[in-house]
Amino acid sequence: MTSHYIAIDWGSTNLRAWHYQDGICTDSRQTTAGVTRLNGKTPEAVFDEVTQGWREKITPVLMAGMVGSNAGWKIAPYLPCPARFSDLSQQLTLVLDNVWIIPGLSVNSDGNCNVMRGEETQLLGARTLGPSSLYVMPGTHCKWVHADNETVQDFRTVMTGELHHILLNHSLIGAGLPEQQTSHESFEAGLHRGINDSDLLPRLFEIRAAHVLGELPRSEVSEFLSGLLIGNEVAAMTRQYAPDTQQPVTIVANPSLSQRYIKALELLGYQAKVLDGDNAFQAGIRSIANAVAN
């Protein structure tokens, strides 16, 4: 087992880095210098800044996320699914001495073209922390991943988070609304509607009409819309993958977002267990660091 390594989660808008010694995180750093926000600096210059003082001796560095995309530092090719979890540590892309990028995953089959970067590392950790046949990774672009203990079989992406943001901020649905408030009642009302009605598109304008006509509080439109979208997503993806109702679905996310998906799954008769996304990422990086050391 390696005792000294650096883990970096380098996305489009943010970069987070952790320094590990003897299995313990001794320091962490964060910057907004994502690969689309380098502000004229090279990726190597940003890398040198964020790891300053951490690489005084030979230290393995493992990076995941959009840093390996065609907009990043160096392209780390996607591994096509089905892909073995062990392949992630065996097909790293070398950038500098002892600095590697973890490959993303892809699906290219009839009716499904998909890619992921960064989530594959969380997925590797989640397999250790909370084994499952179906993983849900909520966020701007939610991933639903079908896997067994050895292999990622298939995955799909649902743009629920991004669609919620666009509709609320850049469409008639959210035009002129006051500051939005948390409402469990409105969220659950939207959730029931989204689960029980597969015709999502006609329902969207009805949200506008509902608050205009006084049927939905104007400060709770965000909550109803969130429920509608998440309910529709969870209903569609559980139909797609038909998980065993006796086995829990593993959700990899922060606690507040996880609760929304737990509620949707429960309404459909499924159990769920939750893993913190950062913990899953670190577990995934650790397993790859150990493989590199060996």
Side-chain angles (χ1 to χ4, degrees):
M1 175 179 289
T2 185
S3 61
H4 190 203
Y5 63 91
I6 296 168
I8 296 179
D9 182 5
W10 199 340
S12 298
T13 56
N14 292 286
L15 184 160
R16 296 186 299 164
W18 299 265
H19 180 267
Y20 276 83
Q21 182 69 52
D22 298 325
I24 298 172
C25 181
T26 60
D27 196 6
S28 64
R29 296 169 183 168
Q30 185 168 341
T31 171
T32 56
V35 297
T36 62
R37 297 181 178 179
L38 297 178
N39 294 322
K41 295 180 181 178
T42 65
E44 186 169 357
V46 172
F47 172 81
D48 287 341
E49 288 178 7
V50 82
T51 61
Q52 185 176 11
W54 285 0
R55 303 182 67 219
E56 294 173 354
K57 58 181 179 179
I58 297 175
T59 307
V61 183
L62 293 161
M63 302 186 292
M66 292 299 287
V67 65
S69 71
N70 57 7
W73 191 349
K74 186 174 182 179
I75 294 176
Y78 293 108
L79 299 181
C81 290
R84 294 175 61 84
F85 283 104
S86 58
D87 291 342
L88 291 171
S89 60
Q90 294 172 6
Q91 300 193 41
L92 303 173
T93 295
L94 185 67
V95 181
L96 301 170
D97 286 346
N98 289 303
V99 180
W100 294 273
I101 298 175
I102 299 165
L105 296 177
S106 67
V107 174
N108 190 1
S109 60
D110 290 343
N112 185 15
C113 287
N114 259 289
V115 293
M116 71 164 67
R117 284 197 187 276
E119 295 95 346
E120 76 293 318
T121 306
Q122 285 187 321
L123 194 60
L124 181 60
R127 180 195 60 155
T128 302
L129 300 174
S132 182
S133 62
L134 184 63
Y135 299 87
V136 185
M137 312 177 83
T140 304
H141 300 150
C142 184
K143 304 292 184 183
W144 288 73
V145 185
H146 172 51
D148 57 36
N149 192 48
E150 300 296 330
T151 305
V152 180
Q153 299 289 347
D154 184 66
F155 66 90
R156 291 176 183 266
T157 306
V158 189
M159 295 173 64
T160 303
E162 182 173 0
L163 187 57
H164 180 273
H165 176 81
I166 290 171
L167 291 172
L168 196 63
N169 294 282
H170 303 289
S171 83
L172 191 62
I173 289 174
L177 292 178
E179 183 178 349
Q180 295 297 287
Q181 305 294 326
T182 299
S183 169
H184 298 299
E185 292 79 10
S186 289
F187 173 74
E188 290 194 17
L191 201 58
H192 282 275
R193 180 68 59 84
I195 286 173
N196 294 312
D197 191 342
S198 60
D199 295 327
L200 178 64
L201 290 179
R203 293 299 185 192
L204 293 176
F205 185 81
E206 291 180 17
I207 300 175
R208 163 74 177 177
H211 75 72
V212 168
L213 297 174
E215 294 298 315
L216 174 65
R218 297 178 71 244
S219 62
E220 298 174 11
V221 170
S222 175
E223 289 289 296
F224 184 88
L225 177 61
S226 175
L228 180 72
L229 295 175
I230 289 174
N232 187 266
E233 171 194 345
V234 173
M237 289 296 97
T238 51
R239 285 196 302 271
Q240 174 70 39
Y241 288 117
D244 184 349
T245 56
Q246 302 305 308
Q247 299 295 323
V249 175
T250 294
I251 301 173
V252 185
N254 66 56
S256 61
L257 193 51
S258 297
Q259 290 304 313
R260 294 177 179 254
Y261 281 80
I262 288 173
K263 185 65 177 178
L265 287 163
E266 286 177 346
L267 289 174
L268 286 160
Y270 296 101
Q271 307 171 59
K273 57 186 173 185
V274 178
L275 297 176
D276 178 79
D278 281 349
N279 290 344
F281 179 84
Q282 296 300 339
I285 287 282
R286 189 178 306 115
S287 66
I288 294 175
N290 291 335
V292 168
N294 294 329

